[in-house]
Amino acid sequence: MSPLTSRNINHLRELESESIYIIREVAAQFEKPTLLFSGGKDSIVMFHIARKAFWPAKVPFPLLHVDTGHNFPETLDFRNELMKNTGTTCIVRLVQDSIDKGRAVEETGFNASRNKLQTVTLLDALEEFKFDAAMGGGRRDEEKARAKERFFSHRDEFGQWDPKNQRPELWNIFNGRKHMGEHFRVFPLSNWTEMDIWQYIYLENIDIPDLYFTHEREMINRDGVLLANCPYIPLKDSDRIEKIQIRFRTIGDMTCTGGVESPASSLEEIIQEVAATRTTERGTRFDDKRSESAMEDRKKEGYF
């Protein structure tokens, strides 16, 4: 039995139409836009909608992936296969290169992560290719800092965001005017929820990485967060390593992306699980637990 009703489908088509409108506005208003792609479900959905927006022509802008070097191998394999199958250009820039050039400093310690270092690599890539708009898959329901974002989010010449100084967007009229050196982050999926994303993936039969479905994996239990056992995470004496049935609700750097114990092996089961859960999607992200304002602080500095 389908988990979607006609009401669900109508709602999803309205969200899709809004996102197509925003992506087309970006193509119309900016000279050199790009779409930020991570291989996670939100960026996959955003790319799928972008392809619809310009079909049968190809997407008229490149994708940009900031690779921490600590990504799940499954995510990178999925990205490469998707780009090959769709004939799409995906520019990859490495955090490791930023470290080697002295542009970023590697964190040390048990909780070290390269997640924050992505900001330097991203801003350098935007400058390198002179991108004046970068579309991201952020949604307002994910985290309180993301909830403050407009669809068209202005960034100054240093790539920084001022949440107290944003432009009004009445009647979906978007102002993309900027000075030399400034750029915009644009969030076509702003009004979507995690449930909307999963139901849309089901409706459109979109391929996603196997990481989102249950599989057995060796995990580190650290302070209640389940992290994938990998060479990038130094072990504490208190860490417990165990093989469990796991899946990921969100995918990012392996050092800070937590999994959830789950038997969900199909989209239908994932939708049922998301409907019943009482924890937020980013509740499994170790980097968001560093402080109450961790995400907002990173975004002010130029993070996604």
Side-chain angles (χ1 to χ4, degrees):
M1 181 177 177
S2 172
L4 299 182
T5 64
S6 58
R7 184 175 181 179
N8 293 141
I9 294 173
N10 290 338
H11 170 68
L12 294 173
R13 291 305 181 203
E14 288 176 3
L15 289 173
E16 178 190 67
S17 178
E18 178 183 63
S19 298
I20 286 175
Y21 169 67
I22 292 165
I23 291 171
R24 286 174 175 168
E25 276 291 299
V26 171
Q29 290 198 39
F30 296 96
E31 293 182 11
K32 290 197 69 177
T34 184
L35 187 150
L36 300 177
F37 188 83
S38 67
K41 65 184 186 307
D42 299 310
S43 63
I44 291 170
V45 165
M46 183 169 59
F47 176 53
H48 178 85
I49 293 173
R51 293 182 68 204
K52 276 195 162 188
F54 302 103
W55 186 264
K58 288 187 176 182
V59 173
F61 39 75
L63 276 56
L64 173 62
H65 182 206
V66 176
D67 184 349
T68 66
H70 295 169
N71 292 100
F72 288 91
E74 296 96 322
T75 307
L76 300 182
D77 291 342
F78 181 90
R79 177 200 70 192
N80 295 339
E81 191 66 19
L82 181 61
M83 296 306 106
K84 177 183 175 182
N85 292 339
T86 59
T88 304
T89 299
C90 183
I91 299 166
V92 179
R93 286 296 177 265
L94 306 174
V95 170
Q96 184 63 54
D97 288 344
S98 298
I99 295 171
D100 292 343
K101 294 174 184 176
R103 296 280 297 144
V105 179
E106 183 95 72
E107 292 184 0
T108 58
F110 290 111
N111 297 319
S113 171
R114 289 184 173 183
N115 205 42
K116 186 176 180 180
L117 305 189
Q118 293 178 91
T119 300
V120 174
T121 310
L122 171 63
L123 293 177
D124 285 350
L126 295 178
E127 174 63 25
E128 177 185 356
F129 293 98
K130 306 302 180 187
F131 290 130
D132 54 359
M135 286 174 277
R139 308 185 324 266
R140 289 177 180 144
D141 76 316
E142 286 183 88
E143 204 273 343
K144 57 189 177 183
R146 294 200 189 277
K148 298 179 181 180
E149 289 276 20
R150 300 288 196 264
F151 281 108
F152 276 39
S153 184
H154 176 264
R155 297 297 198 270
D156 65 20
E157 63 271 27
F158 301 106
Q160 297 179 332
W161 172 61
D162 182 359
K164 296 181 180 179
N165 184 24
Q166 299 190 77
R167 299 175 180 179
E169 293 181 340
L170 307 176
W171 304 288
N172 278 3
I173 297 176
F174 304 116
N175 180 359
R177 294 180 181 175
K178 58 181 177 52
H179 296 295
M180 182 69 71
E182 298 175 345
H183 73 276
F184 276 78
R185 305 288 171 81
V186 181
F187 302 98
L189 305 182
S190 289
N191 287 335
W192 296 58
T193 65
E194 182 186 11
M195 177 62 82
D196 294 330
I197 293 292
W198 283 117
Q199 289 181 334
Y200 186 76
I201 290 171
Y202 177 87
L203 177 65
E204 293 285 293
N205 193 28
I206 300 172
D207 286 334
I208 55 175
D210 292 339
L211 290 166
Y212 285 113
F213 302 100
T214 188
H215 58 286
E216 187 176 70
R217 201 179 199 102
E218 199 172 73
M219 303 296 290
I220 303 168
N221 190 326
R222 177 173 293 177
D223 301 326
V225 176
L226 296 172
L227 300 171
N229 190 20
C230 65
Y232 316 124
I233 304 178
L235 296 177
K236 296 180 178 180
D237 292 337
S238 59
D239 288 336
R240 301 196 316 273
I241 300 178
E242 49 192 324
K243 276 191 175 181
I244 53 179
Q245 292 296 120
I246 200 85
R247 78 173 193 87
F248 295 89
R249 290 175 68 185
T250 176
I251 295 176
D253 192 295
M254 294 180 76
T255 62
C256 59
T257 302
V260 293
E261 291 189 72
S262 168
S265 59
S266 67
L267 288 173
E268 293 91 338
E269 291 174 342
I270 289 175
I271 289 171
Q272 291 172 1
E273 186 177 271
V274 171
T277 189
R278 291 295 177 266
T279 58
T280 63
E281 179 182 5
R282 291 191 68 91
T284 60
R285 292 297 291 264
F286 209 75
D287 53 323
D288 287 352
K289 299 179 184 295
R290 294 190 172 195
S291 73
E292 281 293 315
S293 61
M295 172 64 82
E296 183 160 332
D297 292 341
R298 294 200 303 273
K299 286 179 70 65
K300 286 180 180 178
E301 295 171 1
Y303 188 73
F304 308 151

